Amino acid sequence: MAGKLYLCATPIGNLEDITLRVLNTLKEVDLIAAEDTRHSIKLLNYFGIKTPLTSYHEYNKIDKARYLVSQMEKGIQLALITDAGTPGISDPGEELVKQCYQAGIEVTSLPGPAACITALTLSGLETRRFSFEAFLPPDKRERQRILAELKSETRTIILYEAPHHLVRTLKELYEVLGERRITLCRELTKRYEEACLTTFKDALDKLQKEEPKGEYVIVVQGKSLEEIVKMQQKAWDQISIEEHMERYEGQGMDKKRAMKAVAYDRGISKREVYQYLLEKGNEYGRNNI
């Protein structure tokens, strides 16, 4: 029979956050694939786990995944762990899971710590809907593209950042998104855990005096729907109502539906659109409403 892949969440700081199910699984499987074996051996030694380790990381994720899948096809039971948190979230585990599904290998996930969820729940910001972006890409063009997308994001945004890049990233976010409420979380679950509900400006002012220390999670308030509507209305204000009408009529709308759409876009009544067109001497008559 084929083996199985177990995605095992491990502590992000406090070792007591590991679950009994994960501990039992790590002891019972045939092999553990770890992002950094030097880091993970400390965790295994702490809990007295003797299961063999193999490395699985960003730079060998495709070829090593093929090998690990071949071993599971022979019956090997495999656990996957990351340096901290839940495997598959912003790490190479995603590739191994994909290859397992392609090969028909069963996959299960053992829930546990995740820095993004931990930060979100203690952020003091809205938690019902959120967008997880992890680390912004280092490539300049790709980074700008994602930042542009986030500008109109209405959900709470979660990002990761290293201390030596924190100020630069906050400045970029501030420039693109404008002033927002944010929560800066660092050293989650560890001795010096800190969560500070603040704003971009206040955070940057503080970081001019204090050097960032520890790994950070940045939780950013999403843009309100009211702000989105205002932005859209401002964009429509750049063209005349006649040009606005022509755009919709060019899409095949009749005059009545076009006036309704124009009114909705601009946040005014359909009668105001009609009255404007009459005053401008356009050919729209009362029969078109």
Side-chain angles (χ1 to χ4, degrees):
M1 293 180 64
K4 185 174 179 179
L5 174 64
Y6 299 83
L7 304 174
C8 296
T10 54
I12 59 176
N14 192 318
L15 294 180
E16 293 183 2
D17 289 336
I18 200 165
T19 69
L20 291 174
R21 185 181 174 203
V22 167
L23 285 176
N24 290 332
T25 299
L26 294 178
K27 292 175 182 177
E28 294 168 1
V29 294
D30 302 301
L31 183 65
I32 298 172
E35 193 171 3
D36 184 339
T37 55
R38 296 166 300 178
H39 176 85
S40 296
I41 194 64
K42 298 175 184 177
L43 174 72
L44 300 186
N45 287 341
Y46 183 87
F47 289 107
I49 298 170
K50 306 297 183 182
T51 307
L53 270 176
T54 188
S55 64
Y56 178 74
H57 48 73
E58 184 66 28
Y59 302 104
N60 71 356
K61 66 180 181 181
I62 296 177
D63 292 338
K64 190 62 176 280
R66 293 194 188 104
Y67 169 77
L68 293 173
V69 167
S70 71
Q71 293 303 297
M72 284 184 278
E73 287 175 328
K74 296 175 183 177
I76 291 293
Q77 305 296 315
L78 177 71
L80 177 67
I81 60 177
T82 184
D83 285 348
T86 302
I89 298 179
S90 189
D91 78 16
E94 179 182 15
E95 176 63 29
L96 180 57
V97 172
K98 287 179 181 178
Q99 291 199 29
C100 281
Y101 275 102
Q102 290 168 358
I105 300 294
E106 186 178 355
V107 179
T108 189
S109 181
L110 283 58
C116 56
I117 299 300
T118 303
L120 177 66
T121 56
L122 60 81
S123 68
L125 301 176
E126 292 186 10
T127 60
R128 191 177 72 84
R129 300 172 65 248
F130 62 93
S131 170
F132 175 59
E133 289 296 333
F135 290 92
L136 291 174
D139 179 78
K140 187 175 182 180
R141 292 183 65 182
E142 181 69 6
R143 193 178 182 94
Q144 290 175 339
R145 183 185 67 80
I146 290 178
L147 286 170
E149 290 178 359
L150 293 179
K151 187 173 183 178
S152 299
E153 179 60 73
T154 58
R155 296 171 295 179
T156 300
I157 304 163
I158 307 171
L159 305 104
Y160 291 161
E161 194 52 273
H164 52 288
H165 290 146
L166 180 65
V167 172
R168 183 193 71 173
T169 296
L170 289 177
K171 285 181 178 177
E172 288 178 314
L173 290 167
Y174 186 23
E175 289 170 2
V176 175
L177 307 183
E179 185 67 297
R180 302 274 185 93
R181 294 171 70 210
I182 66 170
T183 301
L184 282 184
C185 303
R186 71 179 189 92
E187 296 294 272
L188 290 172
T189 78
K190 299 178 184 177
R191 181 178 180 182
Y192 297 106
E193 174 184 282
E194 182 181 35
C196 179
L197 180 57
T198 180
T199 64
F200 281 128
K201 186 178 184 305
D202 288 346
L204 287 167
D205 288 343
K206 182 179 179 181
L207 291 169
Q208 296 298 324
K209 307 167 188 174
E210 300 178 12
E211 181 183 357
K213 293 180 180 179
E215 298 299 315
Y216 282 82
V217 183
I218 309 167
V219 188
V220 184
Q221 182 181 45
K223 194 174 225 22
S224 70
L225 290 174
E226 291 78 9
E227 288 178 290
I228 295 291
V229 170
K230 286 179 181 178
M231 285 175 57
Q232 293 172 338
Q233 290 176 353
K234 186 176 181 180
W236 287 121
D237 287 342
Q238 304 303 310
I239 63 173
S240 68
I241 288 180
E242 295 98 319
E243 292 172 316
H244 203 157
M245 285 286 296
E246 288 171 4
R247 290 195 182 190
Y248 282 122
E249 290 180 292
Q251 295 172 18
M253 286 189 183
D254 59 33
K255 292 181 175 62
K256 186 175 181 179
R257 287 178 59 210
M259 277 192 277
K260 186 175 181 180
V262 169
Y264 177 82
D265 288 343
R266 292 175 175 264
I268 58 179
S269 70
K270 190 174 70 171
R271 180 155 294 280
E272 287 179 276
V273 175
Y274 170 73
Q275 193 63 40
Y276 172 88
L277 294 171
L278 280 182
E279 291 174 359
K280 285 290 183 178
N282 282 273
E283 58 187 24
Y284 299 93
R286 293 182 182 277
N287 294 332
N288 291 315
I289 295 182

